[in-house]
Amino acid sequence: MPKLGQTVEEASIVRWHKREGDPVKKGDVLFEIETDKAVLEVESFYDGTLLKILVREEETVPVSSTVAFVGEPGEDIPEEATKPAPAPKQPEPKAAPAAAAAPAATKPAAPVVGATAAAPSPVAAPAPTAQAPARVFISPRARALAREKAINPDGIHGSGPNGRIVARDVEKYLADKGYGEIRISAAAKKLAIREGIDIVSVRGSGVSGRIMVSDVERAVAEKPKKMSRMRQVIAQRLTESFTTTPHFYVSVSVDMTDLMAYRQVLKEQGGTYTVTDFIMEAVVLTLQEFPVLNSVTDGKSVRWYGSVELGMAVALDEGLVVPVIRDADQLSMMELHDAARALAGKAREGKLLPDEMMGSTFTVSNMGMLKVESFSAIINPGEAAILAIGSTGETPVARDGRVVIRSMMNMTLSADHRIVDGRMGAEFVNAIKDKLEDVALWKSMT
Amino acid sequence: MEKYDVVVIGSGPGGYPAAIRAAQLGASTALVEREAVGGTCLNWGCIPTKTLIASSDLFARMNAAGELGLSAEGTSYDYAAIVKRKGKVVARLKGGLGQLLKANKVDVITGTASFAGRNRIAVDGKTAMEAGRTIIATGSCSAMPSFIPSGKRVVESRAFLDMTGLPGSMIVLGGGVIGCEFACMAAQFGVKVTVVEMLEDILLMLDADIRAELRKHMEGRLGIEVFTGAPLVDIKAGKTGVNGKFGDRTLKAELLLASVGRLPVTNGLELERAGLATTDSGHIETDSLGRTSVASVYAVGDVTAGSTQLAHAATAQGINAASDACGQRVPRAEQVVPACIFTAPEIGSVGLTEREALESGREVVTGKYSFAGLGKAMAAGETGGFVKWIADAATDQLLGAHAVGPHATELISEATSAVAAEMTAAELGRTIHCHPTFSEAWMEAAHAVHGEAIHQPPRRRK
């Protein structure tokens, strides 16, 4: 398993491109791996034959583990290396294979596909999440019985030595669950055995509740599937943030009418600024007035960041990525626009590098194009706040005692209450609002 | 005004069982019929055609009786007498059905029904009754597209059944179920038959092997000319015959039987007064229990969108709809519907064809067994044809069954039970079958799914 940089400790194999016994040429893609940040292809360093695969698809191992052997057909493979792949966090196996057999290629290829990952973080990367499933001790007879009956033995209480599940435990489970009452078609049972479905948990739709193939097919479709590494990391980080950071929210609605009109003028002159560009620029300017919003706390100390590293959330089919505009406070409006456009393009093509998604200090999440009026975002770990932008739409509003139609946009700040108070949050969002409503400001900047 | 819990419109194989079922469940029930109880099936479809085919089949066997050591010299038939017998069979069944309806206290009302409102039914234009629930079972009629000229020498199936004599030659336009059944029947009586089908083959919905076998028999043994893959054009009908062009060929015959499909009967029903619309093709959309978009109105059989145009499917739908209309929960409608075709040889089919199974993304295995390998078939002198199982390679589930040959329309029922019950090929193979019978073919073919048929040389497996 190639080393993938300073922070990556483990990776899982997504897919083997070669099978045992296949000839391998130097430069051939041997397998694909996935880390919490990216999917990469790994090429062979050597010519030869793929003798033995030690780490199967979907298994996760520490970097520098031996995952396979390439050598001459018939060559001996060191015995200890053929043992099952080590669980994560265990010492890696001796990677000194016999002279004749070379360790499988380890050169990390350039990221090639879907190199996307979860929100960046200036704090320590989360601990690896993959765990080997708790091993179920079960006698061969009990296992065979469970299989024959199309039930899942994992949850059965074992009464044998060391809690081992023995045949009578399976029999007791069957009796307790009223197994004898279950009616199931022969084909449905075969399918259940094949797909590892416990028929005790399947509701039958046939006559008198008989379990039919369609019922088992539904259970198969409902079977929990492992999430991608990327999704798991998103889950872990957002849970951590939402459960450990006391969020509070303030919303304002912004009159975008004049800015939209000005943008139209710019557009006719060939300008390409997006609404997001104006919002991000307003945020960058305001963050410099309110440095507390550009900080992070652990509850005991607070760290003010010296620059604005602006995260911009980009929705992809497979999840959310947050590329980071570096030193956004040092950029001109045009530079900010260019940087944002380049990152968004890379994100959609799946070409973001892990480094481009790390180290943001404040994040803007714009769902305006997704037709929502307003929403609240979860603060990225390592930041003090996040700004959620809704869509801009024509709205009747009161102006000078009259109802007029204006283009209104809602934005909601989520802030960490440990360092940001309500008053500061309110002042911050109003400062952004004031800027967005001040066309003179934009005329001076574009 | 009369009040009924359930009013059924149409007394065919969808309508009359619905009426009886509703009455069984205690509903006051009316059945409105504008022509004859029993509908197309009993009067101008299933039953009369099978009566004619019974005669033509026996006639064909008589002519081949020499093989069985019998002599039947100078065989002949009296078609008028055959048609008369058909009339008697139909009359008897109709009489029985009338009594059955009466015994169940179903009020049979003669006239054309239409909706006067969501829960009001008019008969012959006059508002006649209030209906708690209405079940539409108006069926279908033969399509007669405008490219087919009208005339004395052009008939559709219903008019054909009333003819008291057979033509010397006949073009059957449309190689579907009706066309092929009439073609085989007429050919057995010695009529020179030509079938023209616009699509690439006759009976395209069948498993390809079954189709090929039938076509072989139709062309080889019955001497039917079958033209497929192009339409019959320039059709002209004169006083003594018809002709048309198939490609460069001119086809001529004394009679043209048009069997190009059937259309739903909804005109005159004033469905819009019930708040119901039809599809572009005139069908009524329903769910699997016959429920329409109007809560109190059901539709079953050929008039529904997605109909299989099979009498027994209509019956099952009718019973489900009536049960639901009477407040009895029907857990789910049975989806496994067998099909029978009374060609020579007969065809029975249920579940998926090999192609459909493959297209569903499964790995598929098949098992075939020829009647020629059965002692009973040989003893009976009926060795043509075979049965075929389609099974899921992964679970061994029997997904479909197809039979072409003697008694195939009877044999398919065993296979239907197996497919509906989701049996595996191994289970069916273990089921003990009577010897010597034609049914043994299913058992042998189930073994053949695993390459283990006893009475079949081992084949090399892929």
Side-chain angles (χ1 to χ4, degrees):
Chain A
M1 180 62 68
K3 280 199 162 143
L4 300 155
Q6 296 302 316
T7 55
V8 179
E9 291 170 10
E10 56 172 20
S12 54
I13 294 192
V14 181
R15 196 158 76 85
W16 278 97
H17 286 240
K18 302 276 181 189
R19 289 190 205 166
E20 284 182 9
D22 281 357
V24 175
K25 281 214 184 76
K26 191 173 165 180
D28 283 356
V29 174
L30 268 176
F31 54 92
E32 268 172 54
I33 58 168
E34 187 187 40
T35 71
D36 51 1
K37 295 275 182 219
V39 176
L40 310 158
E41 286 179 350
V42 179
E43 295 169 2
S44 177
F45 256 13
Y46 305 93
D47 289 331
T49 298
L50 182 57
L51 295 175
K52 178 90 190 159
I53 289 174
L54 302 181
V55 180
R56 282 164 314 198
E57 290 177 2
E58 295 192 12
E59 274 189 60
T60 303
V61 290
V63 296
S64 301
S65 304
T66 304
V67 297
F69 283 88
V70 176
E72 296 300 319
E75 221 172 327
D76 287 339
I77 294 163
E79 212 175 281
E80 80 252 47
T82 60
K83 286 176 194 155
K89 294 277 157 198
Q90 280 175 358
E92 58 199 68
K94 286 228 163 59
T106 52
K107 179 189 168 196
V112 278
V113 289
T116 56
S121 165
V123 297
T129 50
Q131 292 290 327
R135 215 176 130 200
V136 177
F137 292 96
I138 180 164
S139 77
R141 222 182 115 212
R143 185 176 291 287
L145 181 62
R147 190 177 155 76
E148 182 206 319
K149 300 288 183 188
I151 55 139
N152 179 4
D154 291 355
I156 296 178
H157 173 75
S159 69
N162 302 320
R164 193 162 184 252
I165 301 165
V166 293
R168 70 166 179 273
D169 299 324
V170 177
E171 281 157 10
K172 182 169 183 305
Y173 175 85
L174 297 176
D176 291 350
K177 297 284 181 183
Y179 189 87
E181 301 296 311
I182 296 175
R183 295 288 171 268
I184 182 167
S185 81
K189 190 165 176 185
K190 281 208 96 165
L191 184 65
I193 291 170
R194 196 182 136 82
E195 296 286 340
I197 296 294
D198 188 334
I199 62 168
V200 166
S201 60
V202 177
R203 207 180 64 221
S205 66
V207 176
S208 307
R210 189 163 184 252
I211 298 171
M212 307 301 281
V213 166
S214 59
D215 303 318
V216 178
E217 282 172 348
R218 194 177 321 120
V220 170
E222 285 175 0
K223 225 162 63 164
K225 287 171 210 59
K226 202 175 167 190
M227 294 198 292
S228 68
R229 282 282 282 167
M230 176 177 169
R231 201 71 237 173
Q232 287 182 38
V233 172
I234 291 173
Q236 197 208 350
R237 292 172 52 86
L238 292 182
T239 305
E240 182 194 316
S241 168
F242 202 60
T243 54
T244 62
T245 310
H247 283 61
F248 80 101
Y249 311 96
V250 285
S251 301
V252 289
S253 66
V254 184
D255 187 338
M256 298 290 280
T257 316
D258 297 342
L259 181 54
M260 299 298 266
Y262 177 59
R263 186 178 155 245
Q264 195 55 41
V265 171
L266 287 178
K267 211 171 176 179
E268 277 154 22
Q269 295 166 359
T272 52
Y273 290 115
T274 64
V275 179
T276 311
D277 290 339
F278 290 106
I279 295 165
M280 288 197 302
E281 183 62 39
V283 166
V284 171
L285 294 173
T286 312
L287 280 173
Q288 293 168 67
E289 300 162 21
F290 295 83
V292 175
L293 272 298
N294 197 47
S295 71
V296 66
T297 182
D298 57 6
K300 294 195 178 78
S301 59
V302 59
R303 176 177 162 201
W304 289 21
Y305 292 115
S307 63
V308 176
E309 309 289 317
L310 189 65
M312 46 184 272
V314 178
L316 303 176
D317 289 344
E318 58 272 38
L320 177 79
V321 291
V322 185
V324 183
I325 301 172
R326 299 276 166 228
D327 295 320
D329 50 335
Q330 304 296 317
L331 301 181
S332 71
M333 176 92 184
M334 182 50 85
E335 288 167 335
L336 185 80
H337 163 80
D338 290 344
R341 198 162 79 161
L343 286 171
K346 273 179 138 181
R348 288 196 191 96
E349 287 162 30
K351 287 188 174 157
L352 284 177
L353 300 173
D355 277 354
E356 288 172 313
M357 294 181 282
M358 291 176 69
S360 60
T361 60
F362 185 94
T363 300
V364 173
S365 179
N366 188 351
M367 295 223 288
M369 64 298 283
L370 299 177
K371 296 178 187 163
V372 294
E373 285 176 9
S374 65
F375 69 103
S376 317
I378 295 174
I379 301 167
N380 270 325
E383 300 176 21
I386 183 167
L387 190 67
I389 310 292
S391 24
T392 303
E394 291 199 341
T395 312
V397 290
R399 288 280 184 277
D400 306 324
R402 296 181 59 182
V403 175
V404 291
I405 305 289
R406 305 288 289 177
S407 291
M408 302 302 290
M409 177 189 86
N410 277 307
M411 56 186 194
T412 300
L413 180 80
S414 311
D416 182 345
H417 216 330
R418 292 173 299 179
I419 40 169
V420 182
D421 292 325
R423 183 192 171 116
M424 181 173 288
E427 284 173 2
F428 177 73
V429 289
N430 274 295
I432 297 171
K433 170 187 161 90
D434 290 345
K435 289 185 183 66
L436 288 171
E437 291 178 351
D438 179 6
V439 177
L441 170 71
W442 302 111
K443 283 185 177 160
S444 71
M445 291 183 62
T446 51
Chain B
M1 198 177 1
E2 289 275 0
K3 267 192 183 176
Y4 289 99
D5 296 330
V6 175
V7 174
V8 181
I9 305 174
S11 70
Y16 85 76
I20 292 176
R21 181 78 184 129
Q24 281 175 347
L25 293 170
S28 59
T29 307
L31 178 59
V32 189
E33 170 58 55
R34 69 176 169 196
E35 285 193 79
V37 287
T40 298
C41 167
L42 199 162
N43 296 282
W44 311 285
C46 320
I47 298 299
T49 54
K50 263 80 267 178
T51 314
L52 300 185
I53 289 167
S55 296
S56 69
D57 243 351
L58 185 55
F59 186 61
R61 294 216 74 196
M62 279 162 63
N63 290 332
E67 293 167 25
L68 276 73
L70 308 174
S71 55
E73 307 281 316
T75 55
S76 66
Y77 62 87
D78 175 353
Y79 192 71
I82 292 166
V83 171
K84 202 169 160 194
R85 173 176 171 272
K86 178 211 78 179
K88 274 190 195 162
V89 170
V90 169
R92 197 159 162 202
L93 274 167
K94 206 158 32 176
L97 178 55
Q99 283 172 11
L100 197 61
L101 289 163
K102 202 171 168 188
N104 278 287
K105 300 195 167 59
V106 174
D107 288 349
V108 178
I109 295 158
T110 305
T112 302
S114 60
F115 281 92
R118 220 161 247 226
N119 294 85
R120 278 213 182 148
I121 303 296
V123 175
D124 293 334
K126 276 184 283 184
T127 303
M129 60 190 98
E130 219 164 282
R133 297 274 189 275
T134 307
I135 299 172
I136 303 167
T138 44
S140 60
C141 61
S142 295
M144 264 297 181
S146 55
F147 68 86
I148 302 173
S150 54
K152 277 193 92 172
R153 309 312 300 170
V154 177
V155 294
E156 45 72 70
S157 58
R158 185 167 165 176
F160 186 100
L161 289 169
D162 289 337
M163 298 189 326
T164 48
L166 285 174
S169 59
M170 173 167 104
I171 295 170
V172 174
L173 188 56
V177 173
I178 297 168
C180 287
E181 285 189 2
F182 277 90
C184 290
M185 183 268 288
Q188 283 179 321
F189 278 135
V191 178
K192 189 184 165 299
V193 179
T194 308
V195 175
V196 181
E197 168 58 55
M198 197 174 72
L199 300 176
E200 63 190 81
D201 200 1
I202 54 169
L203 296 166
L204 211 54
M205 69 290 189
L206 293 179
D207 191 272
D209 289 350
I210 301 287
R211 258 190 279 142
E213 179 76 9
L214 174 67
R215 191 161 171 174
K216 194 177 88 189
H217 277 75
M218 282 173 67
E219 292 176 328
R221 224 177 49 188
L222 296 174
I224 298 171
E225 277 196 292
V226 180
F227 296 104
T228 55
L232 186 68
V233 294
D234 292 339
I235 307 170
K236 299 205 171 62
K239 276 190 181 150
T240 53
V242 288
N243 63 70
K245 281 200 153 173
F246 179 86
D248 304 338
R249 300 178 71 129
T250 300
L251 305 180
K252 280 186 189 162
E254 289 174 25
L255 187 79
L256 181 103
L257 171 68
S259 51
V260 293
R262 293 183 68 82
L263 299 174
V265 177
T266 48
N267 57 342
L269 270 177
E270 313 270 8
L271 290 174
E272 60 287 348
R273 291 199 198 152
L276 260 182
T278 61
T279 63
D280 291 344
S281 56
H283 292 90
I284 300 171
E285 271 186 300
T286 66
D287 68 4
S288 62
L289 295 179
R291 291 180 289 213
T292 68
S293 56
V294 176
S296 62
V297 180
Y298 296 72
V300 301
D302 286 8
V303 78
T304 62
S307 152
T308 52
Q309 295 192 352
L310 291 163
H312 44 273
T315 302
Q317 276 185 311
I319 293 170
N320 281 338
S323 302
D324 195 83
C326 294
Q328 197 172 72
R329 222 182 91 75
V330 180
R332 74 166 183 187
E334 182 55 62
Q335 300 296 316
V336 176
V337 180
C340 49
I341 307 176
F342 293 84
T343 41
E346 292 184 352
I347 288 171
S349 156
V350 67
L352 303 183
T353 63
E354 185 171 354
R355 189 166 161 188
E356 287 167 343
L358 286 168
E359 282 170 356
S360 73
R362 292 172 234 249
E363 256 200 72
V364 175
V365 281
T366 64
K368 245 188 190 179
Y369 195 80
S370 293
F371 290 113
L374 290 177
K376 175 62 185 288
M378 260 186 262
E382 297 178 298
T383 50
F386 57 87
V387 302
K388 177 179 179 184
W389 286 114
I390 316 293
D392 186 323
T395 63
D396 203 33
Q397 181 182 1
L398 295 170
L399 301 170
H402 308 277
V404 54
H407 318 293
T409 57
E410 300 290 339
L411 291 171
I412 200 63
S413 289
E414 176 192 349
T416 304
S417 299
V419 171
E422 299 182 346
M423 282 176 80
T424 59
E427 275 186 310
L428 198 288
R430 277 201 300 270
T431 306
I432 298 173
H433 285 62
C434 277
H435 178 73
T437 58
F438 288 98
S439 304
E440 286 177 283
W442 290 124
M443 181 178 68
E444 293 280 3
H447 286 313
V449 167
H450 308 122
E452 294 169 350
I454 298 294
H455 298 98
Q456 192 168 282
R459 67 173 162 165
R460 278 182 53 199
R461 307 199 64 193
K462 282 185 274 185

